[in-house]
């Protein structure tokens, strides 16, 4: 086995100081920056950075720390002081990481191809066949241009003597390049003069090359390229959205794609569109639940089959996570000689794979100086710092290593270099790690000049974004003219005006549609609850029956009320039911759960919503906060606050969102949900009311926010037909059923590929509603003589019952047509 036997631990001296060699005088390439910062002064720097932080919040730049209460709302943290890299150092780094990318790409090509290296003993068989990241369905599958790695991320650290070493390689879905770009944009805006006079290498040419490389990979004009993301809960979701917009690609989740006849298609509201290239940010095994990991909800069923057929290109190639392990590092020097015929230029930090006896023995003898990690990252084991293991536990841990040595790898605990960070008006020193990137353009490899710098949260702590760390920009100070190309159009050049909307994936339309439905559903629950709660405790038996009928309009399948066949519900039962309906987050039809769904669906499309709207959605999610001791009669005030937020959402929907397809689906969802609730409420009136039921009319007007409309016409005289006129047939009342059906037909007609039969069904329902002449309808009034000769009320009840079945069926057809792209069924409404 060819292995590096000359690894020398780096434990000597203090950590390298990036700023100064003696702790006083800045290194030559830092002098200009330190002089400029001193000239600007801490007060002005503070003002500039306050503007930058405001921009971070407004642009929604986030990083999701798993298990953090702030979750996806945690703002991305950037340090104002960049890490400076002189030109000669960068040439060394660039040559080393490009060589490394070539080496790892050839290694993947062999391991998924002829496997000559394993056969001849140059690569351990146990690191291949025992590795869960080895995807056997991809063995022998050809990769376009032999490019297993479209992009490689390399984590670098500087040892105490100033030498750069590789800590880790990210080979399957390397992240962070988008954050590096955003860091550059923000820091160069905060320090524009300093950036301009420092002759910093630009990042835009790297991303231009990436876009061209992916376009060329498709091998056809105007290809459809998508960026596959795990979704909003992923830690780097902002970056996925940002890079997709910057490169002009479509951001998709697994549910947005479908495989038909071994080809991948993007589900859009305009139909299925063939996908040529997938830039993935989903880990290997999650990409196809049919061939790889059956419990994955992030991938595309059938994707592997489409890849095998050569009908779609994926970057990085599936299976590239095989070598995303530190266990291969001891073998890289020998593999470099074997595959490239040259020595490894950029060394790895001292690493021992415990699958070899001599390495295991060395690790056990020097346990206090190493960090033990899983050889296969999918094992979900936290790194174990040998020096921190209690003496009583070391023997047990040693036995654990001896029992399955091939599953562990040990690395030296490196003393990372330190760099200055801006902290409340002064400079402190923190440990840093540089993540840089190498791109395969198809004809050559290029490196991003600089990259993403990760900074430890506190002195002596581990450098980890998940553990509270933050980031820096990295400036490569060049010694010759730099390319000033920018992917963004300069301000002094006119732009070409256009209003062509971007493609709308079906998932986006689906979430917009259900966001509208959940918002309207929450409003209806809140309005019905607010009308009921003040009346519950003072309700006599007759009014209690009315309240139960009003509650019936919710169509709750999870009601806590006793069944009528068992006993008649009491006011105590109804009070307990209302409390559950409002606050039980585990109850699917509760207000708390509905608002959580508003937050979820809004979060799924947050890249298409304004910051104000996302802030409002967050307030809605937290608006139902009732403690155990909250008095029942205080609930209406809380519901009023919730309804104010829902009204603000409605205002933003009408006034702040462009009338594109996303808005069409959101508004359609709202109108549909309101029509469904109205249909249920109006059916309660078509059952002739007794004198004891008369208060139900007042409640229904209050729920529909139409009490004032009614009073201006009929004063305080409550009559069922007058209420029906306001809530059923009034074309000018935005809370009437006629208004909902009319707008639903208009909205549906504006959708692409709408089904004429479904449109006619909606128009037929509207025409049938308008055929009822309420003035001729005979409604039995209490105490009045019975009238005969009209079955109009029965026909109206039958119409509302049919409409109550039509609306969900029409919604299902809408989903099948635009979201799932399945077969739709004809719908009609009877006479």
């Amino acid at each position: 086995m060819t292995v590096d036997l000359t690894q020398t631990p780096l434990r000597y001296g203090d950590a390298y100081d990036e700023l100064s060699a003696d702790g006083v005088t800045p290194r030559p390439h830092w002098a200009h920056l330190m002089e400029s910062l001193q000239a600007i002064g801490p007060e002005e720097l503070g003002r500039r950075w306050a503007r930058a932080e405001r921009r971070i919040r407004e642009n929604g730049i986030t990083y999701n720390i798993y298990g953090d209460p702030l979750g996806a709302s945690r703002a991305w943290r950037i340090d104002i002081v960049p890490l400076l890299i002189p030109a000669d150092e960068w040439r060394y780094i660039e040559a080393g990481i490009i060589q490394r990318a070539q080496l790892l790409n050839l290694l993947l090509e062999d391991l998924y191809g002829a496997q000559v290296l394993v056969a001849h003993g140059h690569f351990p068989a146990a690191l291949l066949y025992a590795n869960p990241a080895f995807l056997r369905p991809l063995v022998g599958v050809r990769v376009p241009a032999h490019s297993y790695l479209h992009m490689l991320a390399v984590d670098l650290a500087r040892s105490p003597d100033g030498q750069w070493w590789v800590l880790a390689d990210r080979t399957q879905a390397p992240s962070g390049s988008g954050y590096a770009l955003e860091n550059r944009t923000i820091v160069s805006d905060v320090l524009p003069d300093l950036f301009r006079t420092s002759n910093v290498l630009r990042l835009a040419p790297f991303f231009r090359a990436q876009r061209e490389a992916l376009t060329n990979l498709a091998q056809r004009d105007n290809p459809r390229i998508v960026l596959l993301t795990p979704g909003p809960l992923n830690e780097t979701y902002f970056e996925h959205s940002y890079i997709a917009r910057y490169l002009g690609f479509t951001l998709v989740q697994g549910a947005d794609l479908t495989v038909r006849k071994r080809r991948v298609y993007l589900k859009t509201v305009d139909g299925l569109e063939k996908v040529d290239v997938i830039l993935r940010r989903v880990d290997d095994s999650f990409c196809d639940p049919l061939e790889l990991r059956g419990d994955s909800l992030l991938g595309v069923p059938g994707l592997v089959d489409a890849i095998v057929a050569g009908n779609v290109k994926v970057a990085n190639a599936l299976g590239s996570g095989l070598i995303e392990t530190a266990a291969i590092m001891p073998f890289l020097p020998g593999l470099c000689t074997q595959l490239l015929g040259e020595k490894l230029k950029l060394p790895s930090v001292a690493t021992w794979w415990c699958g070899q006896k001599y390495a295991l023995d060395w690790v056990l003898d020097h346990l206090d100086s190493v960090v033990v990690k899983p050889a296969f990252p999918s094992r979900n084991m936290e790194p174990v710092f040998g020096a921190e293991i209690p003496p009583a536990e070391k023997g047990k841990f040693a036995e654990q290593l001896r029992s399955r040595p091939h599953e562990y790898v040990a690395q030296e605990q490196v003393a990372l270099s330190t760099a200055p960070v801006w902290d409340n008006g002064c400079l402190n020193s923190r440990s840093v790690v540089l993540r840089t990137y190498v791109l395969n353009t198809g004809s050559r490899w290029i490196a991003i000049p600089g990259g993403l710098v990760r900074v430890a949260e506190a002195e002596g702590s581990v450098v980890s974004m998940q553990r509270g760390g933050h980031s820096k920009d990295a400036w490569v100070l060049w010694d010759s003219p730099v390319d000033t190309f920018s992917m963004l159009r300069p301000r002094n050049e006119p732009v070409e005006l256009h209003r062509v909307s971007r493609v709308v994936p079906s998932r986006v339309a689906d979430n917009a549609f259900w966001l509208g439905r959940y918002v309207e559903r929450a409003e209806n629950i809140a309005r019905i609850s607010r009308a009921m709660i003040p009346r519950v405790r003072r309700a006599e038996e007759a009014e209690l029956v009315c309240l139960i009928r009003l509650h019936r309009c919710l169509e709750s399948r999870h009601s806590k009320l006793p069944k009528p066949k068992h006993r008649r519900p009491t006011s105590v039962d109804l009070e307990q039911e209302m409390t559950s309906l409002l606050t039980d987050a585990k109850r699917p039809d509760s207000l708390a759960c509905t608002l959580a769904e508003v937050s979820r669906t809004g979060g799924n499309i947050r890249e298409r919503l304004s910051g104000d709207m996302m802030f409002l959605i967050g307030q809605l999610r937290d608006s139902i906060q009732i403690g155990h001791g909250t008095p029942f009669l205080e609930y209406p005030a809380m519901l009023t606050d919730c309804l104010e937020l829902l009204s603000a959402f409605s205002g933003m929907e009408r006034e702040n969102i462009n009338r594109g397809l996303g808005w069409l689906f959101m508004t359609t969802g709202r109108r549909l949900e309101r029509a469904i609730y109205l249909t249920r409420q109006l059916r309660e009136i078509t059952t002739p009311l007794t004198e004891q039921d008369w208060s139900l009319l007042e409640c229904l007007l209050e729920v529909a926010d139409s009490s004032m409309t009614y009073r201006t016409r009929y004063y305080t005289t409550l009559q069922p037909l007058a209420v029906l006129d306001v809530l059923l047939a009034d074309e000018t009342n935005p809370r009437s059923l006629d208004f909902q059906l009319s707008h639903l037909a208009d909205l549906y007609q504006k959708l692409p590929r709408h089904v004429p039969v479904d449109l006619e069904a909606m128009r037929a329902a509207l025409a049938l509603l308008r055929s009822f002449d309420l003035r001729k309808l005979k409604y039995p009034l209490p105490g009045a003589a019975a009238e005969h000769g009209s079955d109009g009320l029965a026909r109206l009840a039958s119409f509302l019952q049919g409409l109550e079945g039509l609306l969900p069926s029409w919604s299902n057809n809408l989903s099948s047509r635009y979201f799932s792209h399945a077969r739709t069924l004809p719908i009609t409404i009877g006479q």
Side-chain angles (χ1 to χ4, degrees), residues 583-611:
T583 63
D584 189 351
K586 296 181 179 180
R587 177 173 166 172
D589 63 345
S590 72
L591 181 58
C593 184
T594 303
L595 290 175
E597 289 300 300
V598 169
S599 177
R600 181 186 64 81
T601 52
N604 286 343
I605 54 173
R606 67 186 183 201
E607 73 277 4
R608 294 176 181 253
L609 299 177
S610 69

Side-chain angles (χ1 to χ4, degrees), residues 486-776:
S486 173
M487 298 273 279
L488 303 176
R489 186 178 294 272
R491 295 178 181 177
N492 58 357
E493 291 186 13
V495 297
E496 181 182 351
L497 301 180
H498 61 86
R499 295 179 185 172
V500 179
S501 60
R502 295 177 295 167
V503 62
V504 179
S506 295
R507 174 189 53 85
V508 172
D510 192 0
N511 280 286
F513 176 74
W514 279 100
L515 176 60
R517 289 199 66 172
Y518 283 127
V519 165
E520 187 63 31
R521 187 174 299 177
E523 182 173 343
N524 278 284
I525 296 172
R527 287 190 177 278
I528 290 175
S529 300
R530 191 177 63 170
M532 293 178 63
I533 289 173
R535 296 175 169 89
V536 168
R537 286 190 173 176
R538 68 170 187 261
E540 298 177 357
E541 185 174 348
E543 189 175 14
L544 188 61
V545 173
C546 292
L547 294 179
I548 293 173
R549 289 183 66 175
L550 184 59
H551 174 271
R552 198 163 60 197
C553 296
L554 294 169
E555 291 283 330
S556 174
R557 299 179 181 177
H558 304 273
S559 173
K560 307 295 184 182
L561 293 177
K563 301 297 181 183
K565 64 181 180 180
H566 296 148
R567 65 178 176 87
R568 180 175 295 179
T570 65
S571 59
V572 174
D573 294 328
L574 193 55
E575 183 174 324
Q576 292 174 346
E577 160 63 9
M578 298 310 299
T579 301
S580 171
L581 178 67
L582 294 179
T583 63
D584 189 351
K586 296 181 179 180
R587 177 173 166 172
D589 63 345
S590 72
L591 181 58
C593 184
T594 303
L595 290 175
E597 289 300 300
V598 169
S599 177
R600 181 186 64 81
T601 52
N604 286 343
I605 54 173
R606 67 186 183 201
E607 73 277 4
R608 294 176 181 253
L609 299 177
S610 69
D612 287 341
M613 184 163 277
M614 286 306 303
F615 177 74
L616 184 60
I617 288 174
Q619 286 187 307
L620 276 170
R621 179 192 60 214
D622 300 331
S623 63
I624 305 299
Q625 300 289 341
I626 300 178
H628 293 294
T630 304
F632 182 68
L633 292 180
E634 289 186 10
Y635 289 6
M638 177 200 64
L639 290 171
T640 298
D641 293 339
C642 179
L643 286 168
E644 287 177 356
L645 294 173
L646 290 166
S647 297
F649 184 95
S650 300
M652 286 189 180
E653 175 207 331
R654 287 193 298 269
E655 302 297 334
N656 293 19
I657 299 180
N658 290 345
R659 271 25 179 191
L661 287 174
W663 176 85
L664 278 175
F665 280 102
M666 184 185 300
T667 303
T668 298
R670 293 206 67 173
R671 295 296 175 193
L672 177 67
E673 192 73 15
R674 185 174 294 181
I676 291 173
Y677 272 87
L678 272 169
T679 303
R680 294 172 183 169
Q681 293 161 23
L682 291 168
R683 285 188 65 195
E684 291 297 326
I685 307 179
T686 59
T687 301
L689 301 176
T690 64
E691 189 169 358
Q692 291 80 7
D693 296 333
W694 222 247
S695 60
L696 178 63
L697 298 175
E698 181 184 354
C699 292
L700 292 176
L701 287 171
E702 182 180 335
V703 168
D705 199 19
S706 297
S707 299
M708 188 56 65
T709 301
Y710 186 91
R711 287 171 187 166
T712 57
R713 298 177 187 175
Y714 308 104
Y715 302 102
T716 58
T717 303
L718 284 172
Q719 291 285 345
L721 287 181
V723 174
L724 280 173
D725 182 57
V726 171
L727 300 185
L728 176 78
D730 188 350
E731 300 177 16
T732 65
N733 181 9
R735 294 278 175 177
S736 76
L737 185 59
D738 184 294
F739 194 93
Q740 312 314 315
L741 296 185
S742 176
H743 276 67
L744 280 172
D746 291 343
L747 292 167
Y748 184 64
Q749 188 176 11
K750 295 177 182 178
L751 293 178
R753 305 184 305 112
H754 68 265
V755 180
V757 175
D758 283 0
L759 179 60
E760 287 305 313
M762 291 303 299
R763 286 176 172 169
L766 179 61
L768 194 55
L769 184 152
R770 290 177 175 175
S771 71
F772 290 97
D773 189 347
L774 297 180
R775 287 169 293 190
K776 297 180 180 180

